[in-house]
Amino acid sequence: MTSFDASPPLNVWRALLALAVVFVMLTTTGWTASRGHRGSTALQASLAAWQHGSLHGHRLPDPDAAPGRIARFFASLGAHDRDLLAHRYPLAVGNMNGAPVPLRYEANRIALGQARAAELKRTHDSRLTPAGQQDAGRREHHFAALMGKDRQILAFDPEGSGRVAEVFGDLTRAQRVSVVVPGVDTDLFTFRKTYRPYTAAYGMAKSLWTAERTASPGTRTAVIAWADYTAPSGIGVDAATAMRAEDGAVRLNGLLRGLPGAAPVALFCHSYGSVVCGLAAHSLPGRVFDIAVAASPGMHAQTVARLGTSAQVWAMRNATDWIRDVPYLELGGFGHGADPVSRAFGARVLSADGAKGHAGYFDPGTDSLTNFAEIGVGAYGSVRCAHDNDGCRAGLPGTTTAGRA
């Protein structure tokens, strides 16, 4: 799970069994039903305003309508009206699957500016403690960074620890699209890291995009760093159950169904992100050709067939990753099912040579990153298998029995 590169003691996993019992007890007493009740968030307020809004006397479409319906609505508008809606309802438009991608970038830049101004004001609010003012300053700094002129923010929610998605490349014109789905401890404020950058969602996606352009310079690729779900925080009940992943799977499918064009899509799911991808698998649109998981605690299925997807399923794990020591089981809502690199699961198992620890799969120069890039551009004949020369490539288009040296 993304932040935990050092191997945790095995008694942590035994403790998780006890936590699962506690979780069941808390559920029966109603604790989980009440823990999230808060007032309306900024995003909810923007969506509510949209729902009650109008344009030229006509009601706006339901923001939860199918992405195709949303796309047709925006296509019917002139540039002035689209821009007007982005300024009037920036968070709603910026997070609306089916809205034009450039308009979402524009709307999220407006929303980021508003969120930044609010936090800047809080840094001087005498009613806050010094710690509260410092937190406001930290948030303002992150919002400002996301407003950089080269940033393409596809989704943004400032509430709490926040959610965000960012695009590398030209998503509208891309011939191949990749989506990086990260694991635990991923939020708006851990989205990009200076120290060990390839362990964070931003660095993972940027590294993959660079590797894809190296693998196939003539292919127009786009990569989405997708931290637009509420990931578990640390190793605890949330990480040991599918609670966060269930909502994440719905959100992931919403993103995929709202992507422009018809380019093939590949999902790259790290650690707990593979639980999200596993739960999303049966509902994925047909344009998703590949699901590749690394450092997976399980995909909530016993076999690839039980995932219910037509996509190719790939898996990898390096020899130094502590995730291999977790109990691969699912019992009473605890655990995430079978080991995706096991022979019985049936995934195409890839080499992860060069990757170190739990979070090193997107480091440049590793087999793991190279394999991800080859999948991302559809070059299946160039991937390197974990167990033999060509077993993981068998039956795929463009492959040969010779393999890669």
Side-chain angles (χ1 to χ4, degrees):
M1 305 174 175
T2 303
S3 299
F4 295 88
D5 202 23
S7 177
L10 290 182
N11 60 11
V12 169
W13 300 105
R14 297 189 184 99
L16 287 178
L17 288 168
L19 283 170
V21 175
V22 173
F23 173 71
V24 172
M25 293 175 63
L26 291 171
T27 301
T28 60
T29 61
W31 176 81
T32 54
S34 63
R35 62 180 295 204
H37 288 184
R38 291 179 296 184
S40 177
T41 68
L43 175 54
Q44 290 168 345
S46 185
L47 288 168
W50 171 282
Q51 287 176 314
H52 292 92
S54 63
L55 183 66
H56 304 312
H58 298 285
R59 292 194 62 179
L60 301 174
D62 186 339
D64 293 324
R69 166 76 178 90
I70 298 296
R72 288 191 295 273
F73 166 73
F74 279 104
S76 72
L77 304 179
H80 179 268
D81 284 342
R82 288 194 295 268
D83 188 65
L84 177 67
L85 292 175
H87 280 79
R88 187 178 293 172
Y89 314 104
L91 277 172
V93 174
N95 290 277
M96 197 172 293
N97 293 317
V101 167
L103 189 68
R104 290 181 68 170
Y105 296 160
E106 177 189 353
N108 283 318
R109 184 177 296 276
I110 295 166
L112 278 160
Q114 293 175 347
R116 181 190 181 192
E119 296 300 335
L120 190 59
K121 185 176 180 180
R122 291 179 67 239
T123 63
H124 303 291
D125 190 339
S126 60
R127 295 171 295 179
L128 296 179
T129 64
Q133 292 175 335
Q134 289 177 357
D135 180 66
R138 178 179 69 95
R139 294 173 67 86
E140 185 275 331
H141 173 76
H142 281 283
F143 295 158
L146 288 169
M147 293 177 68
K149 64 179 181 179
D150 60 335
R151 310 294 293 267
Q152 300 182 133
I153 305 304
L154 188 66
F156 167 64
D157 183 355
E159 179 68 16
S161 57
R163 297 194 299 254
V164 64
E166 181 166 3
V167 176
F168 297 89
D170 188 339
L171 185 57
T172 303
R173 298 178 62 248
Q175 296 169 304
R176 306 282 306 197
V177 176
S178 298
V179 182
V180 174
V181 183
V184 304
D185 284 337
T186 297
D187 56 39
L188 191 149
F189 303 104
T190 61
F191 181 68
R192 185 177 185 178
K193 297 178 181 178
T194 302
Y195 175 67
R196 301 187 66 222
Y198 306 118
T199 66
Y202 175 96
M204 290 176 178
K206 188 173 184 180
S207 181
L208 177 59
W209 186 51
T210 300
E212 286 181 351
R213 288 184 294 166
T214 299
S216 183
T219 302
R220 295 192 305 272
T221 61
V223 179
I224 302 173
W226 190 75
D228 193 28
Y229 80 107
T230 302
S233 178
I235 300 178
V237 169
D238 281 355
T241 69
M243 191 165 57
R244 300 293 189 186
E246 288 170 353
D247 177 67
V250 172
R251 297 184 66 82
L252 179 60
N253 264 306
L255 165 86
L256 296 170
R257 295 186 183 282
L259 292 177
V265 175
L267 304 180
F268 299 93
C269 320
H270 178 252
S271 193
Y272 190 85
S274 66
V275 184
V276 176
C277 292
L279 290 174
H282 73 280
S283 300
L284 294 173
R287 65 188 293 187
V288 178
F289 283 16
D290 300 281
I291 306 172
V293 302
S296 176
M299 298 181 72
H300 260 264
Q302 291 303 114
T303 64
V304 165
R306 296 294 294 272
L307 289 173
T309 180
S310 60
Q312 297 296 332
V313 180
W314 310 80
M316 66 171 70
R317 184 176 64 220
N318 74 69
T320 63
D321 190 339
W322 57 259
I323 201 74
R324 68 190 304 152
D325 295 323
V326 307
Y328 282 95
L329 52 81
E330 188 176 352
L331 180 64
F334 169 81
H336 302 301
D339 182 355
V341 302
S342 66
R343 187 176 297 275
F345 187 74
R348 298 175 181 272
V349 183
L350 297 161
S351 169
D353 286 355
K356 302 297 182 185
H358 187 64
Y361 293 87
F362 290 83
D363 285 2
T366 58
D367 264 13
S368 50
L369 178 63
T370 300
N371 277 331
F372 281 165
E374 302 288 9
I375 292 169
V377 299
Y380 301 128
S382 297
V383 299
R384 178 170 289 165
C385 305
H387 302 306
D388 51 50
N389 286 334
D390 60 2
C392 72
R393 299 191 299 273
L396 291 176
T399 60
T400 64
T401 56
R404 188 177 68 183

